[in-house]
Amino acid sequence: MVERVRTPAASEHYQPPCRPCQELALAEAVANAEYDWSKATDCRVLMKRHRESGECVAGQSV
């Protein structure tokens, strides 16, 4: 008989986004809704920098 190994569910690895990530995601969504592609791009760049800075509690995988 083969023993099945339990793998962790995706929800066990989930970390909710930190406050700055939430604010940048909202700002990007608003910019996209307003067809402001430049501002949306700025938000994505700022989010990437934030995640890579080590200040982000959610990590780089989001």
Side-chain angles (χ1 to χ4, degrees):
M1 183 169 154
V2 175
E3 189 175 322
R4 293 189 182 189
V5 177
R6 183 180 172 272
T7 57
S11 61
E12 292 179 19
H13 296 294
Y14 175 74
Q15 291 182 322
C18 63
R19 179 90 182 208
C21 284
Q22 291 174 343
E23 291 172 355
L24 287 168
L26 177 61
E28 179 186 358
V30 170
N32 282 327
E34 295 174 347
Y35 303 104
D36 188 347
W37 313 130
S38 178
K39 185 174 181 179
T41 299
D42 291 344
C43 291
R44 286 191 298 275
V45 169
L46 291 172
M47 187 176 297
K48 182 176 179 182
R49 286 182 186 168
H50 165 69
R51 288 182 179 152
E52 291 175 348
S53 72
E55 296 175 6
C56 183
V57 294
Q60 299 178 4
S61 63
V62 178

Short mmCIF file of all heavy atoms in Angstrom, two decimals:
data_model
loop_
_atom_site.label_atom_id
_atom_site.label_comp_id
_atom_site.label_asym_id
_atom_site.label_seq_id
_atom_site.Cartn_x
_atom_site.Cartn_y
_atom_site.Cartn_z
N MET A 1 0.84 -1.18 0.00
CA MET A 1 0.00 0.00 0.00
C MET A 1 0.89 1.26 0.00
O MET A 1 1.88 1.34 0.72
CB MET A 1 -0.89 -0.01 1.24
CG MET A 1 -1.83 1.13 1.28
SD MET A 1 -3.01 0.83 2.61
CE MET A 1 -3.44 2.46 2.97
N VAL A 2 0.53 2.22 -0.79
CA VAL A 2 1.29 3.45 -0.90
C VAL A 2 0.78 4.44 0.14
O VAL A 2 -0.41 4.67 0.26
CB VAL A 2 1.14 4.06 -2.32
CG1 VAL A 2 1.84 5.40 -2.39
CG2 VAL A 2 1.66 3.10 -3.35
N GLU A 3 1.71 5.00 0.88
CA GLU A 3 1.35 5.98 1.89
C GLU A 3 1.29 7.36 1.25
O GLU A 3 2.20 7.77 0.53
CB GLU A 3 2.40 5.97 3.00
CG GLU A 3 2.01 6.78 4.19
CD GLU A 3 3.03 6.64 5.30
OE1 GLU A 3 3.56 5.54 5.50
OE2 GLU A 3 3.31 7.66 5.95
N ARG A 4 0.22 8.05 1.50
CA ARG A 4 0.06 9.39 0.93
C ARG A 4 0.65 10.43 1.86
O ARG A 4 0.45 10.40 3.07
CB ARG A 4 -1.41 9.70 0.69
CG ARG A 4 -2.00 8.83 -0.38
CD ARG A 4 -3.36 9.29 -0.73
NE ARG A 4 -3.90 8.37 -1.74
CZ ARG A 4 -4.99 8.58 -2.39
NH1 ARG A 4 -5.70 9.65 -2.15
NH2 ARG A 4 -5.41 7.72 -3.28
N VAL A 5 1.39 11.33 1.27
CA VAL A 5 2.00 12.41 2.03
C VAL A 5 1.11 13.63 1.91
O VAL A 5 0.73 14.03 0.82
CB VAL A 5 3.42 12.73 1.50
CG1 VAL A 5 4.02 13.89 2.25
CG2 VAL A 5 4.29 11.49 1.59
N ARG A 6 0.78 14.20 3.04
CA ARG A 6 -0.07 15.39 3.04
C ARG A 6 0.75 16.60 2.63
O ARG A 6 1.79 16.89 3.22
CB ARG A 6 -0.65 15.63 4.43
CG ARG A 6 -1.60 16.81 4.47
CD ARG A 6 -2.14 16.99 5.88
NE ARG A 6 -2.89 18.20 5.94
CZ ARG A 6 -2.39 19.40 6.22
NH1 ARG A 6 -1.12 19.53 6.47
NH2 ARG A 6 -3.15 20.47 6.26
N THR A 7 0.29 17.30 1.62
CA THR A 7 0.94 18.53 1.20
C THR A 7 0.15 19.71 1.75
O THR A 7 -1.08 19.65 1.82
CB THR A 7 1.02 18.65 -0.34
OG1 THR A 7 -0.30 18.56 -0.87
CG2 THR A 7 1.87 17.53 -0.92
N PRO A 8 0.82 20.74 2.17
CA PRO A 8 0.11 21.89 2.73
C PRO A 8 -0.79 22.55 1.69
O PRO A 8 -0.42 22.67 0.52
CB PRO A 8 1.20 22.84 3.18
CG PRO A 8 2.49 22.27 2.72
CD PRO A 8 2.24 20.92 2.16
N ALA A 9 -1.95 22.95 2.12
CA ALA A 9 -2.87 23.66 1.24
C ALA A 9 -2.31 25.04 0.92
O ALA A 9 -1.51 25.60 1.68
CB ALA A 9 -4.23 23.80 1.91
N ALA A 10 -2.73 25.58 -0.19
CA ALA A 10 -2.25 26.91 -0.60
C ALA A 10 -2.58 27.96 0.46
O ALA A 10 -1.82 28.90 0.68
CB ALA A 10 -2.85 27.30 -1.93
N SER A 11 -3.71 27.79 1.15
CA SER A 11 -4.11 28.78 2.15
C SER A 11 -3.16 28.78 3.35
O SER A 11 -3.08 29.77 4.07
CB SER A 11 -5.54 28.52 2.61
OG SER A 11 -5.62 27.23 3.20
N GLU A 12 -2.43 27.69 3.58
CA GLU A 12 -1.49 27.65 4.69
C GLU A 12 -0.26 28.52 4.41
O GLU A 12 0.43 28.92 5.33
CB GLU A 12 -1.06 26.21 4.97
CG GLU A 12 -2.17 25.36 5.52
CD GLU A 12 -1.75 23.93 5.77
OE1 GLU A 12 -0.53 23.68 5.87
OE2 GLU A 12 -2.62 23.07 5.86
N HIS A 13 0.03 28.79 3.15
CA HIS A 13 1.17 29.61 2.78
C HIS A 13 0.78 31.06 2.52
O HIS A 13 1.62 31.90 2.29
CB HIS A 13 1.85 29.07 1.52
CG HIS A 13 2.44 27.71 1.73
ND1 HIS A 13 3.49 27.48 2.57
CD2 HIS A 13 2.10 26.52 1.20
CE1 HIS A 13 3.79 26.21 2.55
NE2 HIS A 13 2.96 25.59 1.74
N TYR A 14 -0.51 31.35 2.55
CA TYR A 14 -1.01 32.68 2.22
C TYR A 14 -0.65 33.66 3.32
O TYR A 14 -0.85 33.40 4.50
CB TYR A 14 -2.52 32.66 2.03
CG TYR A 14 -3.11 34.02 1.81
CD1 TYR A 14 -2.95 34.67 0.61
CD2 TYR A 14 -3.81 34.66 2.82
CE1 TYR A 14 -3.47 35.93 0.40
CE2 TYR A 14 -4.34 35.91 2.63
CZ TYR A 14 -4.17 36.54 1.42
OH TYR A 14 -4.69 37.79 1.23
N GLN A 15 -0.11 34.79 2.92
CA GLN A 15 0.12 35.90 3.83
C GLN A 15 -0.65 37.09 3.28
O GLN A 15 -0.46 37.46 2.12
CB GLN A 15 1.60 36.25 3.91
CG GLN A 15 2.44 35.21 4.59
CD GLN A 15 3.88 35.65 4.68
OE1 GLN A 15 4.41 36.26 3.77
NE2 GLN A 15 4.51 35.35 5.78
N PRO A 16 -1.51 37.67 4.07
CA PRO A 16 -2.26 38.81 3.57
C PRO A 16 -1.32 39.97 3.24
O PRO A 16 -0.28 40.13 3.88
CB PRO A 16 -3.19 39.17 4.73
CG PRO A 16 -2.61 38.54 5.93
CD PRO A 16 -1.80 37.37 5.46
N PRO A 17 -1.67 40.75 2.24
CA PRO A 17 -0.80 41.87 1.87
C PRO A 17 -0.73 42.90 3.00
O PRO A 17 -1.67 43.09 3.76
CB PRO A 17 -1.47 42.47 0.63
CG PRO A 17 -2.82 41.88 0.55
CD PRO A 17 -2.85 40.66 1.40
N CYS A 18 0.42 43.55 3.10
CA CYS A 18 0.59 44.58 4.11
C CYS A 18 -0.16 45.84 3.67
O CYS A 18 -0.62 45.96 2.54
CB CYS A 18 2.07 44.86 4.36
SG CYS A 18 2.94 45.52 2.94
N ARG A 19 -0.26 46.78 4.57
CA ARG A 19 -1.02 48.01 4.31
C ARG A 19 -0.52 48.77 3.07
O ARG A 19 -1.31 49.15 2.22
CB ARG A 19 -0.99 48.89 5.56
CG ARG A 19 -1.69 50.20 5.43
CD ARG A 19 -3.11 50.04 5.85
NE ARG A 19 -3.82 51.29 5.68
CZ ARG A 19 -4.85 51.62 6.41
NH1 ARG A 19 -5.28 50.83 7.33
NH2 ARG A 19 -5.46 52.76 6.18
N PRO A 20 0.80 49.01 2.94
CA PRO A 20 1.28 49.70 1.74
C PRO A 20 0.95 48.94 0.45
O PRO A 20 0.60 49.56 -0.56
CB PRO A 20 2.79 49.81 1.94
CG PRO A 20 2.97 49.76 3.42
CD PRO A 20 1.90 48.84 3.92
N CYS A 21 1.02 47.61 0.49
CA CYS A 21 0.67 46.82 -0.70
C CYS A 21 -0.81 47.02 -1.05
O CYS A 21 -1.17 47.16 -2.21
CB CYS A 21 0.94 45.34 -0.47
SG CYS A 21 2.67 44.87 -0.54
N GLN A 22 -1.66 47.01 -0.03
CA GLN A 22 -3.10 47.21 -0.26
C GLN A 22 -3.36 48.59 -0.86
O GLN A 22 -4.16 48.73 -1.79
CB GLN A 22 -3.87 47.06 1.05
CG GLN A 22 -3.90 45.66 1.59
CD GLN A 22 -4.55 45.58 2.95
OE1 GLN A 22 -4.71 46.58 3.65
NE2 GLN A 22 -4.92 44.37 3.35
N GLU A 23 -2.68 49.60 -0.33
CA GLU A 23 -2.89 50.96 -0.82
C GLU A 23 -2.41 51.11 -2.26
O GLU A 23 -3.08 51.76 -3.08
CB GLU A 23 -2.19 51.96 0.10
CG GLU A 23 -2.84 52.06 1.46
CD GLU A 23 -2.06 52.90 2.45
OE1 GLU A 23 -0.94 53.35 2.12
OE2 GLU A 23 -2.56 53.09 3.58
N LEU A 24 -1.27 50.51 -2.58
CA LEU A 24 -0.76 50.59 -3.95
C LEU A 24 -1.64 49.81 -4.92
O LEU A 24 -1.86 50.24 -6.05
CB LEU A 24 0.69 50.11 -4.01
CG LEU A 24 1.71 51.07 -3.39
CD1 LEU A 24 3.05 50.39 -3.22
CD2 LEU A 24 1.85 52.31 -4.25
N ALA A 25 -2.16 48.67 -4.48
CA ALA A 25 -3.05 47.88 -5.33
C ALA A 25 -4.34 48.65 -5.61
O ALA A 25 -4.84 48.65 -6.75
CB ALA A 25 -3.36 46.54 -4.69
N LEU A 26 -4.86 49.31 -4.59
CA LEU A 26 -6.07 50.12 -4.77
C LEU A 26 -5.80 51.30 -5.71
O LEU A 26 -6.59 51.58 -6.61
CB LEU A 26 -6.58 50.63 -3.43
CG LEU A 26 -7.80 51.54 -3.48
CD1 LEU A 26 -8.99 50.82 -4.11
CD2 LEU A 26 -8.15 52.05 -2.09
N ALA A 27 -4.67 51.96 -5.51
CA ALA A 27 -4.32 53.10 -6.37
C ALA A 27 -4.16 52.64 -7.82
O ALA A 27 -4.58 53.35 -8.75
CB ALA A 27 -3.04 53.76 -5.88
N GLU A 28 -3.58 51.46 -8.02
CA GLU A 28 -3.43 50.93 -9.38
C GLU A 28 -4.80 50.64 -10.00
O GLU A 28 -5.04 50.96 -11.17
CB GLU A 28 -2.58 49.67 -9.38
CG GLU A 28 -2.41 49.08 -10.76
CD GLU A 28 -1.70 47.74 -10.76
OE1 GLU A 28 -1.29 47.25 -9.70
OE2 GLU A 28 -1.58 47.17 -11.86
N ALA A 29 -5.70 50.05 -9.20
CA ALA A 29 -7.04 49.74 -9.71
C ALA A 29 -7.79 51.02 -10.09
O ALA A 29 -8.45 51.06 -11.14
CB ALA A 29 -7.83 48.95 -8.66
N VAL A 30 -7.66 52.05 -9.28
CA VAL A 30 -8.31 53.33 -9.58
C VAL A 30 -7.72 53.93 -10.85
O VAL A 30 -8.45 54.41 -11.73
CB VAL A 30 -8.18 54.30 -8.39
CG1 VAL A 30 -8.62 55.70 -8.77
CG2 VAL A 30 -8.99 53.79 -7.21
N ALA A 31 -6.41 53.89 -10.96
CA ALA A 31 -5.74 54.44 -12.15
C ALA A 31 -6.19 53.69 -13.41
O ALA A 31 -6.44 54.31 -14.45
CB ALA A 31 -4.23 54.36 -11.99
N ASN A 32 -6.28 52.38 -13.32
CA ASN A 32 -6.75 51.59 -14.48
C ASN A 32 -8.19 51.95 -14.83
O ASN A 32 -8.53 52.08 -16.01
CB ASN A 32 -6.64 50.09 -14.19
CG ASN A 32 -5.22 49.58 -14.33
OD1 ASN A 32 -4.45 50.06 -15.15
ND2 ASN A 32 -4.87 48.61 -13.50
N ALA A 33 -9.03 52.14 -13.82
CA ALA A 33 -10.43 52.51 -14.07
C ALA A 33 -10.55 53.88 -14.72
O ALA A 33 -11.47 54.14 -15.49
CB ALA A 33 -11.22 52.48 -12.77
N GLU A 34 -9.58 54.74 -14.43
CA GLU A 34 -9.57 56.09 -15.00
C GLU A 34 -8.75 56.17 -16.30
O GLU A 34 -8.52 57.25 -16.82
CB GLU A 34 -9.01 57.08 -13.97
CG GLU A 34 -9.88 57.23 -12.75
CD GLU A 34 -9.27 58.09 -11.66
OE1 GLU A 34 -8.05 58.40 -11.73
OE2 GLU A 34 -10.00 58.45 -10.72
N TYR A 35 -8.29 55.00 -16.76
CA TYR A 35 -7.48 54.91 -17.99
C TYR A 35 -6.19 55.72 -17.89
O TYR A 35 -5.70 56.26 -18.87
CB TYR A 35 -8.28 55.34 -19.23
CG TYR A 35 -9.54 54.54 -19.40
CD1 TYR A 35 -10.78 55.09 -19.09
CD2 TYR A 35 -9.49 53.23 -19.86
CE1 TYR A 35 -11.95 54.35 -19.24
CE2 TYR A 35 -10.65 52.48 -20.01
CZ TYR A 35 -11.88 53.05 -19.69
OH TYR A 35 -13.00 52.30 -19.84
N ASP A 36 -5.67 55.81 -16.67
CA ASP A 36 -4.41 56.52 -16.43
C ASP A 36 -3.30 55.49 -16.37
O ASP A 36 -2.87 55.04 -15.30
CB ASP A 36 -4.50 57.32 -15.12
CG ASP A 36 -3.30 58.23 -14.90
OD1 ASP A 36 -2.28 58.07 -15.61
OD2 ASP A 36 -3.38 59.08 -14.00
N TRP A 37 -2.85 55.06 -17.54
CA TRP A 37 -1.89 53.97 -17.64
C TRP A 37 -0.54 54.33 -17.02
O TRP A 37 0.14 53.47 -16.47
CB TRP A 37 -1.71 53.53 -19.08
CG TRP A 37 -3.01 53.34 -19.82
CD1 TRP A 37 -3.34 53.86 -21.04
CD2 TRP A 37 -4.16 52.58 -19.41
NE1 TRP A 37 -4.61 53.48 -21.40
CE2 TRP A 37 -5.14 52.70 -20.41
CE3 TRP A 37 -4.47 51.83 -18.28
CZ2 TRP A 37 -6.39 52.08 -20.33
CZ3 TRP A 37 -5.71 51.23 -18.20
CH2 TRP A 37 -6.65 51.35 -19.22
N SER A 38 -0.17 55.58 -17.09
CA SER A 38 1.10 56.02 -16.51
C SER A 38 1.08 55.86 -14.99
O SER A 38 2.03 55.34 -14.38
CB SER A 38 1.38 57.48 -16.89
OG SER A 38 2.57 57.92 -16.29
N LYS A 39 0.00 56.30 -14.37
CA LYS A 39 -0.12 56.17 -12.92
C LYS A 39 -0.20 54.71 -12.51
O LYS A 39 0.40 54.30 -11.50
CB LYS A 39 -1.35 56.92 -12.41
CG LYS A 39 -1.47 56.93 -10.91
CD LYS A 39 -2.63 57.80 -10.46
CE LYS A 39 -2.72 57.83 -8.95
NZ LYS A 39 -3.83 58.69 -8.50
N ALA A 40 -0.89 53.88 -13.28
CA ALA A 40 -0.98 52.45 -12.98
C ALA A 40 0.41 51.81 -13.03
O ALA A 40 0.76 50.99 -12.16
CB ALA A 40 -1.94 51.76 -13.94
N THR A 41 1.19 52.19 -14.01
CA THR A 41 2.56 51.67 -14.12
C THR A 41 3.39 52.13 -12.93
O THR A 41 4.15 51.34 -12.36
CB THR A 41 3.20 52.13 -15.43
OG1 THR A 41 2.43 51.63 -16.53
CG2 THR A 41 4.63 51.65 -15.55
N ASP A 42 3.25 53.38 -12.55
CA ASP A 42 3.97 53.89 -11.39
C ASP A 42 3.64 53.08 -10.13
O ASP A 42 4.53 52.75 -9.34
CB ASP A 42 3.63 55.37 -11.13
CG ASP A 42 4.19 56.29 -12.20
OD1 ASP A 42 5.08 55.86 -12.96
OD2 ASP A 42 3.73 57.45 -12.26
N CYS A 43 2.37 52.75 -9.97
CA CYS A 43 1.95 51.96 -8.80
C CYS A 43 2.60 50.58 -8.81
O CYS A 43 3.04 50.09 -7.76
CB CYS A 43 0.43 51.82 -8.77
SG CYS A 43 -0.43 53.37 -8.42
N ARG A 44 2.66 49.95 -9.97
CA ARG A 44 3.29 48.63 -10.07
C ARG A 44 4.78 48.71 -9.75
O ARG A 44 5.32 47.85 -9.05
CB ARG A 44 3.07 48.02 -11.46
CG ARG A 44 1.65 47.53 -11.67
CD ARG A 44 1.53 46.71 -12.93
NE ARG A 44 1.84 47.47 -14.13
CZ ARG A 44 0.98 48.24 -14.79
NH1 ARG A 44 -0.26 48.36 -14.36
NH2 ARG A 44 1.36 48.88 -15.88
N VAL A 45 5.45 49.75 -10.23
CA VAL A 45 6.88 49.92 -9.95
C VAL A 45 7.10 50.16 -8.46
O VAL A 45 7.98 49.55 -7.85
CB VAL A 45 7.46 51.09 -10.78
CG1 VAL A 45 8.85 51.46 -10.31
CG2 VAL A 45 7.46 50.73 -12.25
N LEU A 46 6.28 51.02 -7.86
CA LEU A 46 6.41 51.29 -6.44
C LEU A 46 6.14 50.05 -5.60
O LEU A 46 6.81 49.80 -4.59
CB LEU A 46 5.47 52.42 -6.02
CG LEU A 46 5.84 53.80 -6.56
CD1 LEU A 46 4.74 54.81 -6.26
CD2 LEU A 46 7.17 54.26 -5.98
N MET A 47 5.17 49.22 -6.01
CA MET A 47 4.88 47.99 -5.28
C MET A 47 6.05 47.02 -5.37
O MET A 47 6.44 46.41 -4.37
CB MET A 47 3.60 47.33 -5.78
CG MET A 47 3.22 46.14 -4.90
SD MET A 47 1.67 45.33 -5.31
CE MET A 47 0.50 46.62 -5.03
N LYS A 48 6.64 46.92 -6.54
CA LYS A 48 7.79 46.02 -6.70
C LYS A 48 8.95 46.49 -5.83
O LYS A 48 9.60 45.68 -5.14
CB LYS A 48 8.21 45.95 -8.16
CG LYS A 48 9.36 44.99 -8.39
CD LYS A 48 9.71 44.85 -9.84
CE LYS A 48 10.88 43.89 -9.96
NZ LYS A 48 11.33 43.71 -11.32
N ARG A 49 9.21 47.78 -5.82
CA ARG A 49 10.30 48.33 -4.99
C ARG A 49 10.02 48.08 -3.51
O ARG A 49 10.92 47.75 -2.75
CB ARG A 49 10.46 49.82 -5.24
CG ARG A 49 11.10 50.15 -6.55
CD ARG A 49 11.27 51.64 -6.69
NE ARG A 49 11.76 52.00 -7.99
CZ ARG A 49 11.79 53.23 -8.47
NH1 ARG A 49 11.35 54.24 -7.73
NH2 ARG A 49 12.24 53.47 -9.68
N HIS A 50 8.77 48.27 -3.12
CA HIS A 50 8.38 48.07 -1.73
C HIS A 50 8.62 46.61 -1.32
O HIS A 50 9.19 46.35 -0.27
CB HIS A 50 6.91 48.44 -1.55
CG HIS A 50 6.32 47.94 -0.27
ND1 HIS A 50 6.68 48.44 0.96
CD2 HIS A 50 5.40 46.97 -0.03
CE1 HIS A 50 6.00 47.81 1.90
NE2 HIS A 50 5.23 46.91 1.32
N ARG A 51 8.21 45.67 -2.15
CA ARG A 51 8.37 44.26 -1.82
C ARG A 51 9.84 43.86 -1.76
O ARG A 51 10.22 43.03 -0.95
CB ARG A 51 7.64 43.40 -2.84
CG ARG A 51 6.14 43.48 -2.66
CD ARG A 51 5.44 42.59 -3.65
NE ARG A 51 4.01 42.67 -3.46
CZ ARG A 51 3.12 42.46 -4.41
NH1 ARG A 51 3.53 42.14 -5.63
NH2 ARG A 51 1.84 42.55 -4.17
N GLU A 52 10.65 44.44 -2.61
CA GLU A 52 12.07 44.09 -2.65
C GLU A 52 12.87 44.80 -1.56
O GLU A 52 14.00 44.43 -1.29
CB GLU A 52 12.65 44.41 -4.02
CG GLU A 52 12.12 43.49 -5.11
CD GLU A 52 12.59 43.87 -6.50
OE1 GLU A 52 13.16 44.97 -6.67
OE2 GLU A 52 12.38 43.06 -7.41
N SER A 53 12.28 45.81 -0.93
CA SER A 53 13.00 46.60 0.08
C SER A 53 13.15 45.87 1.40
O SER A 53 13.96 46.25 2.23
CB SER A 53 12.27 47.93 0.32
OG SER A 53 11.06 47.69 1.03
N GLY A 54 12.35 44.84 1.63
CA GLY A 54 12.39 44.13 2.88
C GLY A 54 11.40 44.69 3.90
O GLY A 54 11.25 44.14 4.98
N GLU A 55 10.73 45.78 3.57
CA GLU A 55 9.73 46.36 4.46
C GLU A 55 8.40 45.64 4.38
O GLU A 55 7.57 45.76 5.26
CB GLU A 55 9.52 47.83 4.14
CG GLU A 55 10.74 48.69 4.36
CD GLU A 55 10.53 50.12 3.90
OE1 GLU A 55 9.40 50.47 3.51
OE2 GLU A 55 11.50 50.89 3.93
N CYS A 56 8.20 44.91 3.31
CA CYS A 56 6.92 44.26 3.05
C CYS A 56 6.82 42.99 3.90
O CYS A 56 7.66 42.10 3.79
CB CYS A 56 6.79 43.91 1.58
SG CYS A 56 5.21 43.17 1.15
N VAL A 57 5.77 42.91 4.71
CA VAL A 57 5.60 41.73 5.55
C VAL A 57 5.00 40.57 4.77
O VAL A 57 5.07 39.42 5.22
CB VAL A 57 4.69 42.04 6.77
CG1 VAL A 57 5.38 43.03 7.69
CG2 VAL A 57 3.34 42.53 6.36
N ALA A 58 4.44 40.82 3.59
CA ALA A 58 3.84 39.76 2.80
C ALA A 58 4.87 39.02 1.97
O ALA A 58 4.61 37.94 1.46
CB ALA A 58 2.75 40.33 1.89
N GLY A 59 6.02 39.58 1.78
CA GLY A 59 7.06 38.92 1.00
C GLY A 59 7.02 39.27 -0.46
O GLY A 59 6.25 40.12 -0.90
N GLN A 60 7.86 38.62 -1.24
CA GLN A 60 8.01 38.94 -2.65
C GLN A 60 7.16 38.10 -3.57
O GLN A 60 7.12 38.30 -4.74
CB GLN A 60 9.47 38.77 -3.06
CG GLN A 60 10.41 39.67 -2.31
CD GLN A 60 11.84 39.43 -2.71
OE1 GLN A 60 12.14 38.64 -3.61
NE2 GLN A 60 12.77 40.10 -2.04
N SER A 61 6.45 37.11 -3.02
CA SER A 61 5.75 36.17 -3.88
C SER A 61 4.39 36.64 -4.34
O SER A 61 3.70 35.92 -5.04
CB SER A 61 5.59 34.83 -3.15
OG SER A 61 4.79 35.03 -2.00
N VAL A 62 3.94 37.83 -3.93
CA VAL A 62 2.62 38.28 -4.33
C VAL A 62 2.60 38.86 -5.70
O VAL A 62 3.45 39.35 -6.25
CB VAL A 62 2.07 39.28 -3.33
CG1 VAL A 62 0.72 39.79 -3.77
CG2 VAL A 62 2.01 38.65 -1.99
#
